[in-house]
Structures are given as C-alpha cells and as structure tokens.
C-alpha cells in the first residue's frame, strides 16, 4: 500500500469486497437458484433497485402474477449495494436539455414527480419496515474557487427558471452553518434529497418483495434475452413479460454491447469521526454534499458518523469491461482522501476504513430511460448515469403501468421510450471517454490555479458529451 493512502501507523483500508455497506451488514449468501426450465408471468433480469421496485409495484398491483427476479450474484450486488446513498430528485441530463425536446409543462411534471419519488421511497421504507438510515436534509453543492462560484450562480439562475427544484444560493456563512468546509465561497442547497444506507435499502426491498410472493433466483446469470424467453445456464425461463434491469452490466448481454457504457465510480469511507471533529464540521442536517468541480466528488455522513466520499477514479475500462468485486486502486483511494482532507483538514488523521467501486450505465445522450415494447414483451430501465437511486423507484412504477397496459401520468413523462444512439466502437469509445475526463480534470486545475470563470475546455467537453 502506498504511503499516500495510509498515513503513519494507520492500517491499510480494505479495498473491494463489494462495498463498505456490505461490510456493515454482511455479504448475503445467494438463495433460490433457478432449477431447470420454468415459466412465469414476469421475468425481471437484475435484482438491483430497478428490478426490485418493478417487482414490488407489480406484485402490489396484481398479487396473482407469478413474478421472478433473476440475479447473477445476489440481490443488491451491483450499484444498488455500492452507491453514495443520495436519494436525490435530480434528473440526469438536466431540465434545460429536456425543455429543448419536450413541452415545458411535461418537463416540469417530470421534476415534480421525481420530487415526490424521494418521499415515496421514504414512505415505502417506513411502511415495509426497512431501516435504511434515511434522513432528508437536501443536497449542498459547495463552491471553493471563483469559477465554481460562477457555476453556483448559474445554478441559482436555473433554479429561478425552474422553481420546481426548490434550490437556493447560500452565502459562505450560511453554507458553513450547514457544513463547515475549508475555503467555501458559497453554496447551493436543494431540498429534495435524503441520505440513505444503500445496501440496507436494497436488501430490505428484496425481503419485502419475497414477502409479497416474488421469487428471486440468485446465482443465476442470464446469457440472452429474447421475446418471452430468458436463457440461463441453469435453465430457460419463459415469461409473458421480460424486464431488462441490468444497468451498468448491460454491455455483457448479447446485442447490447454499445447500448450503455459501464462507467466506474469509486468511493472511500472513514472510520467514525471523533466527537470534536464532528462538532467542528457541523453537518447536523445530514445533507448530501458535492463540490462544483467538473470531476466532482460526492459525499454523505453516515448514521454512525463516518464520511463516505466518491468520485470518478478510472472512469472507463477498455471494451466496456466491468469489474465485479469493486476493488479500487491505491491512487484513486489517495486522490479521494486528498479531496476529503482538503474539505475537512480537521480529519486528516482519521483512518480510511474501506475503498470500493461500482459501475453505472451511461447512454450516449446521458439521459436515463424506461420503456416497454408490447410486440416483444420486453421492457427495460436504466442509463441513470450517477442518479439512479430515486429514478429506479419511478422506473419501477412506470414499468408496472406499461406492462399492465395502463396509460397514466407516469407513462407520458419525457424519459419514457426514449432511445439514444449507440456508443462508438473501440478504440473511439475509450479515447473519447478518457479524453473527456482529461479535459474536465484540466479545467479543474486551471480553475483552482486562479481562472475566474468556467474553463472553455469544460464547456466544449460538455457540448461533445451532451452533458
Ligand atoms: C459508486 C457509485 C455511487 C453512486 N452513487 C449514487 C448516488 O449517491 N445517488 C444516485 O442516485 N445514484 C448513485 N449511483 C448510481 C445508482 O447506484 C444506480 O443508478 C442504481 O443503483 C441502479 O440500480 P439498478 O438496479 O438499475 O442497477 P444495479 O444495482 O447495478 O443492478 C443490476 C443487477 O443486475 C444484475 N445482473 C447484471 N447482469 C445480469 C445478468 N446477465 N443476469 C442476471 N443478473 C444480472 C447485477 O448483478 C446487478 O445486481 C452510484 C453508482 C455507483 C457505482
């Protein structure tokens, strides 16, 4: 382990092993493997939030349905058991982009529905007895150099155009009253976000759907999805409806290699903070926290007083490869730690307990989608980029309406049945994605070295990526 990662006398942080969240609750043993050929009404491929929310709402809407969720490893193995725990109403792709493509009224409704989805997740967790350590304190975005301040003001202008977001610009003092971050110039606070313990939510959901009669066939990898048929090494599962809920792993499925690229996100978490450090930092509302860098870092404070912080690390592996066990390299752990200590110098001596990573699905237009093709009986949801914790709930409810053939307020939202063009073949894909992140990193350095406005290279990168 490099000295950058572990300071003197400190033990090495764990790396991989899925995530800290599973260190906390224990890695589950897979159960109920598919045992030979079978048939059912709905086969959902992937037991993350998307698959489990779809199963939850379908089972409640029609308890007579035979619903199976087919999962390669165990429920919550993917991003749903590894994420930063932001239950956020943010819409991937941004409202202005949607407003260029759809009527404003529909985009407004989309945002309001996402706001409600945060509360829906909280309500279901309460009703079903899922203790996911949820606290709703909103999101705080912090500006720490003049160019970031510029972007905080752009956010404030956007919030004036879109009051549905409910965001407001905070002075440096108001920001520090929420969380005391070194070098803060200003903040922007959005109310529609809660902090959660990701694995507690996904495992709680798995238990809940099992109670409703849904079977989850774990340790059962699907190799191909065809109309009315999911093929696995353990047998063939016939179904009237099939839902593809494989998100960052979708590239592994036949015919889907260039649909969504698997992008990595990495995280570290500290040991519980000493009382005096907690008192100095504040963070009494448990806001989720992000900086306004281009290669941004996102963070939460856990119920047991640790700080978890995530960022991009190695953004993409050549050929859309996915790394399953969540291991993360020492350089990424060191970089995340350096960011954390630059925010909170008072915790420079607090050891890092764990580092891990996961994959998220990114469509070519950076906008999530949910859809269902009645002619093939195949539905899908994903491409959430970094904001799927709440959107998966809305996706699950939307898939339910689509599969049951009900036109509802949800099925007309602008993300339904959207298809982005496929990603470029390699090596263009690798060069493009790594090039973009180099450009963003360069822009961040220029801005920390005194550039007062957003670096033009970042704006060009935004144009190219469609972000
Ligand atoms: C490190 C990290 C931090 C993040 N932080 C946040 C955050 O704070 N807030 C936020 O909103 N979003 C965040 N995200 C994104 C968010 O976690 C995801 O958008 C969300 O969990 C997606 O849920 P899902 O069910 O669609 O996918 P997943 O949880 O990835 O589930 C897909 C499942 O499909 C299974 N599977 C894949 N292929 C097959 C197959 N062939 N056969 C059977 N099963 C298969 C996988 O094993 C997996 O369990 C983060 C992601 C990562 C990786």
């Amino acid at each position: 382990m490099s000295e950058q990662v572990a300071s003197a006398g400190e033990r090495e942080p764990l790396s991989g092993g899925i995530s800290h969240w599973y260190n906390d609750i224990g890695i589950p043993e897979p159960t109920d493997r598919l045992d030979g050929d079978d048939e059912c009404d709905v086969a959902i491929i992937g037991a993350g939030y998307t698959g489990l929310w779809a199963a939850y709402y379908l089972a409640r809407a029609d308890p007579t349905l035979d619903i199976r969720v087919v999962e390669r490893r165990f429920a919550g193995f993917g991003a749903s058991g590894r994420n930063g725990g932001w239950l956020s109403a943010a819409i991937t792709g941004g409202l202005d982009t949607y407003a260029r493509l759809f009527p404003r009224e529909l985009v407004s409704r989309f945002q309001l529905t996402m706001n409600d989805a945060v509360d829906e997740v909280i309500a279901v967790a309460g009703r079903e007895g899922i203790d996911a350590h949820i606290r709703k304190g909103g999101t705080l975005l912090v500006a720490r150099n003049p160019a970031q301040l510029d972007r905080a003001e752009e956010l404030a202008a956007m919030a004036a155009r879109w009051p549905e977001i409910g965001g407001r610009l905070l002075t440096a003092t108001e920001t520090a009253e929420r969380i005391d971050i070194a070098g803060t110039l200003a903040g922007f606070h959005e109310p529609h976000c809660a902090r959660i313990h990701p694995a507690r939510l996904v495992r709680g959901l798995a238990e809940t759907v099992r109670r409703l009669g849904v079977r989850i066939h774990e340790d059962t990898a699907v190799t191909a999805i065809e109309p009315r048929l999911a093929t696995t090494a353990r047998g063939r599962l016939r179904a009237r409806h099939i839902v593809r809920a494989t998100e960052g792993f979708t590239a592994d499925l036949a015919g889907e290699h260039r649909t969504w690229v698997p992008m990595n996100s990495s995280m570290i978490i500290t040991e519980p903070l000493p009382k005096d450090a907690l008192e100095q930092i504040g963070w009494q509302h448990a806001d989720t926290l992000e900086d306004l860098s281009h290669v941004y870092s996102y963070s939460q404070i856990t119920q047991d007083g640790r700080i978890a912080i995530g960022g991009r690390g190695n953004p993409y592996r050549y050929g859309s490869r996915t790394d399953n066990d969540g291991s993360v390299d020492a350089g990424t752990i060191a970089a995340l730690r350096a960011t954390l200590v630059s925010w909170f110098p008072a915790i420079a001596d607090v050891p890092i307990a764990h580092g891990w990573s996961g994959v998220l699905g990114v469509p070519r237009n950076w906008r999530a989608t949910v859809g269902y093709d009645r002619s093939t009986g195949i539905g899908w949801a994903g491409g959430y980029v970094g904001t799927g914790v709440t959107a998966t709930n809305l996706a699950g409810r939307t898939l339910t309406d689509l599969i049951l053939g009900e036109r509802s307020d949800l099925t007309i939202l602008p993300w339904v049945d959207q298809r982005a063009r496929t990603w470029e073949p390699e090596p263009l894909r690798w060069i493009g994605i790594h090039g973009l992140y180099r450009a963003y990193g360069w822009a961040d350095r220029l801005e920390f070295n005194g550039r007062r406005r957003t670096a033009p290279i970042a704006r060009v990168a935004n144009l190219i990526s469609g972000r």
Side-chain angles (χ1 to χ4, degrees), residues 133-409:
H133 295 178
I134 302 180
R135 260 193 78 192
K136 188 175 177 187
T139 292
L140 183 65
L141 293 122
V142 63
R144 298 174 65 236
N145 65 36
Q148 292 185 6
L149 178 59
D150 213 31
R151 288 199 286 284
E153 279 159 5
E154 282 174 20
L155 281 176
M158 191 190 69
R161 287 195 301 283
W162 295 99
E164 297 84 348
I165 295 173
R168 113 187 147 83
L169 195 61
L170 305 183
T171 63
T173 311
E174 287 170 325
T175 308
E177 276 165 12
R178 297 190 79 87
I179 309 176
D180 195 352
I181 303 147
T184 294
L185 300 179
F188 182 80
H189 186 260
E190 294 170 357
H192 300 289
C193 185
R195 177 278 321 270
I196 64 158
H197 184 304
R200 281 175 161 269
L201 178 62
V202 73
R203 293 302 298 180
L205 266 178
E207 264 174 48
T208 303
V209 301
R210 281 193 180 112
R211 263 201 321 271
L212 294 174
V214 173
R215 287 181 66 187
I216 306 177
H217 298 302
E218 294 178 308
D219 194 18
T220 305
V222 170
T223 49
I225 297 176
E226 294 161 71
R228 330 277 168 203
L229 178 69
T231 304
T232 82
R234 300 184 181 280
R236 286 152 39 108
L237 187 58
R238 298 197 173 279
R240 280 194 289 140
H241 312 280
I242 297 193
V243 175
R244 194 187 76 220
T246 48
E247 178 62 355
F249 304 93
T250 301
D252 297 341
L253 288 169
E256 304 292 346
H257 193 59
R258 289 198 277 137
T259 306
W260 301 328
V261 293
M263 209 83 103
N264 300 300
S265 198
S266 303
M267 299 200 69
I268 60 170
I269 192 160
T270 65
E271 294 291 356
L273 265 47
K275 199 161 164 277
D276 56 337
L278 275 175
E279 271 165 12
Q280 185 185 330
I281 291 171
W283 217 331
Q284 61 282 6
H285 306 292
D287 319 43
T288 56
L289 170 65
E290 182 175 309
D291 64 8
L292 282 160
S293 303
H294 299 289
V295 185
Y296 59 85
S297 297
Y298 53 91
S299 183
Q300 69 146 283
I301 188 151
T302 63
Q303 183 161 286
D304 62 350
R306 301 165 187 264
I307 301 180
I309 180 170
R312 196 54 77 209
N314 174 9
Y316 170 72
R317 290 188 170 82
Y318 191 86
S320 291
R321 277 183 296 122
T322 52
D323 170 31
N324 285 344
D325 77 351
S327 63
V328 61
D329 60 277
T332 299
I333 294 181
L336 287 170
R337 183 194 181 121
T339 302
L340 185 63
V341 172
S342 79
W343 289 0
F344 305 117
I347 63 161
D349 292 331
V350 177
I352 301 301
H354 200 160
W356 70 95
S357 67
V359 288
L360 35 99
V362 180
R364 186 63 182 82
N365 63 4
W366 296 71
R367 293 201 308 274
T369 179
V370 51
Y372 177 71
D373 179 345
R374 193 148 291 284
S375 66
T376 60
I378 296 177
W380 63 90
Y384 307 107
V385 191
T387 54
V389 175
T390 307
T392 48
N393 173 274
L394 183 55
R397 285 184 279 141
T398 308
L399 280 164
T400 299
D401 290 349
L402 290 169
I403 289 172
L404 299 181
E406 282 164 16
R407 190 177 155 80
S408 69
D409 287 350

Side-chain angles (χ1 to χ4, degrees), residues 396-460:
R397 285 184 279 141
T398 308
L399 280 164
T400 299
D401 290 349
L402 290 169
I403 289 172
L404 299 181
E406 282 164 16
R407 190 177 155 80
S408 69
D409 287 350
L410 305 187
T411 61
I412 55 164
L413 291 177
W415 70 326
V416 177
D417 274 328
Q418 299 297 306
R419 284 166 215 245
R421 69 181 166 92
T422 54
W423 281 86
E424 290 75 0
E426 295 290 24
L428 289 180
R429 206 154 71 233
W430 189 91
I431 293 169
I433 294 169
H434 279 265
L436 276 180
Y437 278 91
R438 285 255 162 88
Y440 285 130
W442 191 19
D444 282 333
R445 280 191 296 282
L446 286 173
E447 293 173 9
F448 265 109
N449 288 333
R451 213 200 130 75
R452 301 196 68 77
R453 311 295 295 256
T454 292
I457 188 163
R459 294 206 188 276
V460 172

